[in-house]
Amino acid sequence: MTKTILQANNISKYFGSGVSEVRAVNGVNLKIKRGELVLIMGPSGSGKTTLLSMLGALLSPTSGEIIIDGTDISSVKEAALAALRAQKIGFVFQAFNLLEALTAEENILFPAQLGTEGTQGAKKRLDELLTRLGLTARRKALPNTLSGGEKQRVAIARALINRPPIILADEPTGNLDSHKGQEVMMILHDIARDDGCAVLMVTHDPRVEEIADRILWLEDGALRDRKSEQHSWVIDPVCGMRVDEWTASVMTEYNDKKFVFCSSRCLSRFEARPEYYVNNR
Amino acid sequence: MLYWSLKPLFTEPMRLMVSALAVAVSFSLVIFFSAAFEGESEQMVVYLEKMDADVWVMQKGVSNMHMASSMVWDWKADKIAQMPEVREVAAILYFNGAVKIGGKDWFSYVIGVTPDYSHTGPWAMVQGKAMPGPGEVVIPEVTAKLTGVQIGDEITLVDQSLKVVGLSKGTFSMASSIVFVSREDLGDLLTGRDQYSYIMVYAKPGIDAQALTARIKDEVDKVNALTSDAFIDSDRQLALQMGAEIIRMMTLLGTLLATLIVAFTAYSLIARKKQELAIAKAVGFSNSQIYLAALCQSLVITVLGLLFAVLISFTLLAWLPTIVPQINLAVRLHQFTSLAVAILPVAILASLCAARTVARVDPMTAFHR
């Protein structure tokens, strides 16, 4: 039986107090096993990132407990929590968050000094990840010379360098075009399948649903069952992809009409030449 | 972590240079104040050093030349010269006060010399004669340059007009220049024609100067005798004591300025990298690890600043007296070593601002899009 690596028991997070209290996450229970790719979806402001931050030991829940690889993190001190993050969790962010002054390989090795192997010991793992993610030729490149897809692949390699059992990804395809987004999703899918990592991904991207093992629907801070009829498909005017209007976070208004996009990249293109895309829909 | 903290410094060399140069300027100011003060202090004892006597004899109760007056009967010089341990004596009359040169008062050591003791005059001349006769004066070359006074012009010593007959080298000081007049003129002024102020004693080879001072004090009535080293040291201490507080204050201000510059640089480096700090925290670095990285950045800037300061001091400060001759600068190794000792506290203090920022960075901001 596959081991549960990440568990949340009735966790809640409230911000503010009294009448201004906001319940960002309210009584969430979940269990994630090794090798699972789990999506957290839901409308904007539903508490997805707050939940991800708590599961990543970056934010303490107001109540409830989080167990990472058998350790209840509510009793762990800040310094030990940082060490636990370094060894158990890999983060992939929407904005890539690479360190500007470091090359691709230096970025990947950045968390390695906190891992069990150390920076020198992780060199073999680095080569393996560079090959696997098709970054060997770009290993000496600085982030400002990398494409969006390359940046996200570097960020994924960085998340994997310490061989963490859990990968938390926050909108990893949000800043990528559809082709690059597809590529990143397949990498994350392979990480779950081949490496046995538990991959928990917050996303608005409906294309990921096809490769996910489970989809958790977060609404008003609580997990709910997701009904298929809640889709409202529209077409991205830039790339022509199908986008669920109900869950989309990238949208704009032009001439009193609402336009929904699969990614912020498509939005940027639209904003540069709105007339062109409106007239060619 | 160390690599991550230092690499951005060197990938932005212009920013690093500007920061290090700003630190260097403040350190150089400290070195400049210290060098100027030390240069002046050394200049104030230059006459004593150049005379190269073994023992100095003066009026009882006097132990300095700077800010002092001394009168010793001239027969006492003859008595000392008779001592079997003494090879030679020389004597001067001395007065310190203002001399009007080119319409401006210059605080000076006025040395009254006599041809009997010719080496008590200026040790290096630029122009004219070294030994002034009655009604004549030898002034520093730098004073002449600054005032436009030339050979043949007149200056005023109290109520006497004296004709400039020579320009000496190495005798100028902002605090106290050395002016040479005849013993007769100064004797008239001090109503002491048969007196000297200081007697320089040159011992025979193998004679212990310390023992000679004791013997002189024993055998010559109402005099004080000091070895040359003790006399020079006493004058130097007095000179240093007079400006030590000012220099200490200047050094403190310069160091504070350097600290502020390093603090600002370290803070701006950290403030610009808040998002990267959040990422570092998210991936598992602790506050103390990040703070240490900030400290290393401050240390690099400070050390680089000191190196630049050394470079500036040895080039600019050594060259400065050639264009501003009235400045006497003495650049010494100990001025740098004291600053080098100050580096670690400066870097620690400077990085405290950054530490506050480091502690406040929320790793959750790594999720900001």
Side-chain angles (χ1 to χ4, degrees):
Chain A
M1 192 178 160
T2 317
K3 186 186 169 192
T4 297
I5 192 81
L6 180 61
Q7 188 172 340
N9 295 333
N10 199 28
I11 58 166
S12 299
K13 183 69 187 178
Y14 306 153
F15 295 106
S17 60
V19 286
S20 61
E21 183 181 270
V22 176
R23 296 184 173 206
V25 174
N26 194 11
V28 167
N29 289 291
L30 63 86
K31 280 183 183 178
I32 299 170
K33 292 177 181 157
R34 277 182 172 273
E36 263 196 308
L37 196 159
V38 178
L39 300 188
I40 300 178
M41 300 185 86
S44 294
S46 60
K48 300 186 295 295
T49 301
T50 305
L51 176 61
L52 199 70
S53 302
M54 288 194 289
L55 296 173
L58 293 173
L59 185 67
S60 305
T62 309
S63 62
E65 61 177 17
I66 295 166
I67 298 163
I68 296 174
D69 201 11
T71 306
D72 178 0
I73 63 168
S74 56
S75 56
V76 177
K77 292 212 166 77
E78 182 50 45
L81 212 53
L84 183 125
R85 276 202 300 273
Q87 291 176 12
K88 302 286 184 191
I89 303 167
F91 288 96
V92 180
F93 306 99
Q94 179 182 353
F96 320 127
N97 283 346
L98 301 181
L99 308 182
E100 282 171 33
L102 304 188
T103 61
E105 66 176 6
E106 288 166 349
N107 262 290
I108 296 168
L109 283 172
F110 181 57
Q113 52 198 298
L114 299 166
T116 49
E117 293 176 317
T119 307
Q120 281 307 314
K123 290 275 170 73
K124 199 176 156 205
R125 173 76 169 158
L126 168 74
D127 290 338
E128 184 191 310
L129 287 169
L130 286 169
T131 309
R132 182 173 168 186
L133 296 170
L135 289 165
T136 308
R138 308 290 283 147
R139 64 191 300 161
K140 299 288 180 196
L142 286 168
N144 61 4
T145 65
L146 296 173
S147 70
E150 286 171 332
K151 282 181 189 172
Q152 197 58 296
R153 279 184 280 151
V154 171
I156 292 170
R158 180 178 65 187
L160 292 172
I161 191 75
N162 286 341
R163 302 177 195 275
I166 302 163
I167 299 291
L168 300 181
D170 183 39
E171 296 277 11
T173 60
N175 281 354
L176 301 175
D177 61 28
S178 55
H179 175 69
K180 301 288 181 196
Q182 182 77 20
E183 193 179 87
V184 164
M185 284 186 296
M186 289 318 294
I187 291 168
L188 290 169
H189 174 256
D190 292 348
I191 288 164
R193 191 193 58 201
D194 302 339
D195 296 11
C197 285
V199 178
L200 184 63
M201 192 191 307
V202 162
T203 185
H204 283 99
D205 193 340
R207 295 165 297 175
V208 195
E209 291 181 30
E210 293 159 25
I211 56 163
D213 296 310
R214 274 194 290 154
I215 300 167
L216 305 174
W217 184 256
L218 195 68
E219 194 176 327
D220 298 330
L223 288 178
R224 302 191 196 289
D225 288 334
R226 160 112 185 246
K227 296 183 179 66
S228 60
E229 62 268 24
Q230 284 180 303
H231 285 300
S232 170
W233 298 111
V234 291
I235 300 297
D236 180 328
V238 177
C239 68
M241 277 191 55
R242 194 178 65 152
V243 183
D244 185 356
E245 188 181 14
W246 211 77
T247 61
S249 64
V250 186
M251 58 191 75
T252 190
E253 281 196 7
Y254 181 75
N255 285 347
D256 296 329
K257 283 184 80 175
K258 184 179 171 187
F259 294 89
V260 179
F261 305 89
C262 71
S263 64
S264 53
R265 191 181 170 93
C266 283
L267 172 63
S268 305
R269 286 180 179 173
F270 179 85
E271 284 173 341
R273 301 166 67 194
E275 288 292 344
Y276 172 81
Y277 290 111
V278 169
N279 295 330
N280 289 287
R281 285 180 79 190
Chain B
M1 194 64 189
L2 192 64
Y3 183 71
W4 166 68
S5 70
L6 296 184
K7 195 176 177 192
L9 283 182
F10 295 100
T11 51
E12 294 177 294
M14 274 310 289
R15 186 180 285 270
L16 177 65
M17 286 296 157
V18 168
S19 305
L21 277 173
V23 174
V25 166
S26 51
F27 278 161
S28 297
L29 275 177
V30 174
I31 294 168
F32 174 78
F33 289 135
S34 166
F37 181 68
E38 204 149 315
E40 272 300 306
S41 303
E42 284 187 13
Q43 192 58 27
M44 286 166 82
V45 294
V46 70
Y47 182 77
L48 308 185
E49 283 178 334
K50 290 288 182 186
M51 291 302 102
D52 201 23
D54 294 306
V55 173
W56 284 76
V57 179
M58 61 217 79
Q59 186 180 329
K60 192 173 183 183
V62 177
S63 56
N64 288 96
M65 184 181 240
H66 182 62
M67 306 284 282
S69 73
S70 164
M71 293 305 253
V72 180
W73 293 112
D74 54 4
W75 56 264
K76 291 183 181 176
D78 296 334
K79 187 173 181 181
I80 293 166
Q82 302 300 316
M83 289 180 174
E85 299 93 335
V86 174
R87 174 172 54 89
E88 185 187 351
V89 296
I92 53 164
L93 249 183
Y94 164 81
F95 158 81
N96 63 39
V99 178
K100 198 175 276 294
I101 305 173
K104 188 180 166 191
D105 283 332
W106 297 83
F107 189 80
S108 308
Y109 290 163
V110 182
I111 311 282
V113 292
T114 163
D116 297 343
Y117 307 126
S118 59
H119 76 276
T120 55
W123 50 93
M125 294 297 292
V126 175
Q127 200 183 347
K129 63 175 186 177
M131 187 54 62
E136 295 176 342
V137 64
V138 175
I139 64 168
E141 172 212 12
V142 175
T143 316
K145 265 188 191 167
L146 292 173
T147 56
V149 169
Q150 295 176 342
I151 301 265
D153 289 346
E154 296 216 325
I155 64 137
T156 309
L157 172 62
V158 189
D159 58 351
Q160 289 183 14
S161 279
L162 302 169
K163 186 177 163 188
V164 177
V165 292
L167 303 178
S168 58
K169 193 175 177 185
T171 48
F172 178 83
S173 147
M174 281 191 287
S176 195
S177 294
I178 305 168
V179 168
F180 297 92
V181 297
S182 70
R183 184 193 169 202
E184 288 90 334
D185 286 339
L186 194 56
D188 286 344
L189 187 74
L190 301 175
T191 56
R193 268 187 169 253
D194 46 4
Q195 292 181 87
Y196 289 117
S197 297
Y198 296 93
I199 301 165
M200 293 159 245
V201 182
Y202 298 87
K204 284 182 177 165
I207 298 297
D208 176 41
Q210 194 66 52
L212 184 57
T213 59
R215 173 104 195 261
I216 292 169
K217 280 196 270 190
D218 278 350
E219 293 193 9
V220 185
D221 195 28
K222 290 186 179 174
V223 296
N224 185 23
L226 291 170
T227 62
S228 188
D229 287 346
F231 189 49
I232 291 169
D233 198 43
S234 171
D235 249 31
R236 186 181 280 128
Q237 286 307 315
L238 187 66
L240 286 171
Q241 196 181 319
M242 288 169 65
E245 281 306 314
I246 299 168
I247 287 304
R248 203 169 291 141
M249 196 57 75
M250 292 295 191
T251 305
L252 188 68
L253 284 176
T255 311
L256 273 176
L257 188 64
T259 309
L260 278 175
I261 292 167
V262 180
F264 177 74
T265 310
Y267 176 77
S268 62
L269 267 171
I270 286 292
R272 285 191 308 123
K273 301 276 178 189
K274 271 186 184 169
Q275 182 67 4
E276 294 197 355
L277 290 181
I279 299 160
K281 281 191 176 184
V283 301
F285 286 96
S286 63
N287 277 342
S288 53
Q289 284 171 310
I290 299 172
Y291 172 66
L292 269 178
L295 177 62
C296 287
Q297 286 182 336
S298 301
L299 259 178
V300 167
I301 296 164
T302 316
V303 169
L304 215 57
L306 182 70
L307 290 178
F308 282 147
V310 171
L311 212 64
I312 290 169
S313 305
F314 272 110
T315 50
L316 188 65
L317 297 188
W319 171 71
L320 201 59
T322 60
I323 50 165
V324 191
Q326 61 267 46
I327 293 179
N328 289 303
L329 294 173
V331 184
R332 299 280 181 267
L333 189 66
H334 72 86
Q335 293 157 348
F336 301 107
T337 50
S338 54
L339 273 179
V341 170
I343 276 183
L344 191 62
V346 164
I348 290 173
L349 271 175
S351 53
L352 283 179
C353 296
R356 191 176 150 82
T357 311
V358 167
R360 284 184 161 193
V361 167
D362 182 354
M364 267 194 62
T365 52
F367 285 111
H368 288 176
R369 290 151 193 170

